[in-house]
Amino acid sequence: MDKTLGYLLETLSNYSDHHVIPQRMMNKLENTQYNSEGTFIRELNEEELIFLNKVLPDEIKYALESQDFKRVQELNEVYELLP
C-alpha cells in the first residue's frame, strides 16, 4: 500500500466505530491496490469527499500540534487532492 494511503487508513480507523463512511473507505483501501492517493481520491463518491474535507483539516492540525511532521505531510498530500 502507498505510504500516504497507509496514513489515511490509520486516520479513518479513528472514525470507523461511529460512521459508515470511513468504514466504506477503509474497505476500499484494504481490498483494492491503488497506485497513488490520486487514484484513490478519484474513486470516492461525493459523500466520502465531503467527509474527508471535514476531518482532514482537524487531523492535520492535531498532527502538527503533536509535532508529527511526517503525518502532517502525508495527510496534507491527500487533502490537497480533494476537490
Side-chain angles (χ1 to χ4, degrees):
M1 175 181 294
D2 177 271
K3 185 173 25 172
T4 301
L5 292 177
Y7 277 93
L8 181 59
L9 180 62
E10 185 179 328
T11 297
L12 291 170
S13 71
N14 294 331
Y15 298 90
S16 64
D17 288 342
H18 306 290
H19 302 282
V20 173
I21 298 167
Q23 291 171 357
R24 247 189 351 239
M25 288 189 282
M26 288 175 63
N27 285 336
K28 289 179 184 182
L29 286 169
E30 292 170 339
N31 296 316
T32 305
Q33 184 65 31
Y34 294 100
N35 295 331
S36 69
E37 55 273 9
T39 305
F40 174 70
I41 295 298
R42 284 189 293 276
E43 292 192 10
L44 297 179
N45 64 38
E46 185 176 346
E47 187 178 44
E48 294 163 338
L49 292 170
I50 290 169
F51 180 84
L52 285 180
N53 270 307
K54 186 176 181 180
V55 301
L56 282 180
D58 290 337
E59 290 294 325
I60 292 168
K61 180 181 176 187
Y62 178 78
L64 189 58
E65 290 170 354
S66 302
Q67 297 184 343
D68 188 346
F69 302 115
K70 182 64 175 167
R71 183 178 206 74
V72 169
Q73 176 186 349
E74 299 294 341
L75 293 178
N76 196 52
E77 285 185 29
V78 174
Y79 187 65
E80 288 177 348
L81 294 172
L82 296 175

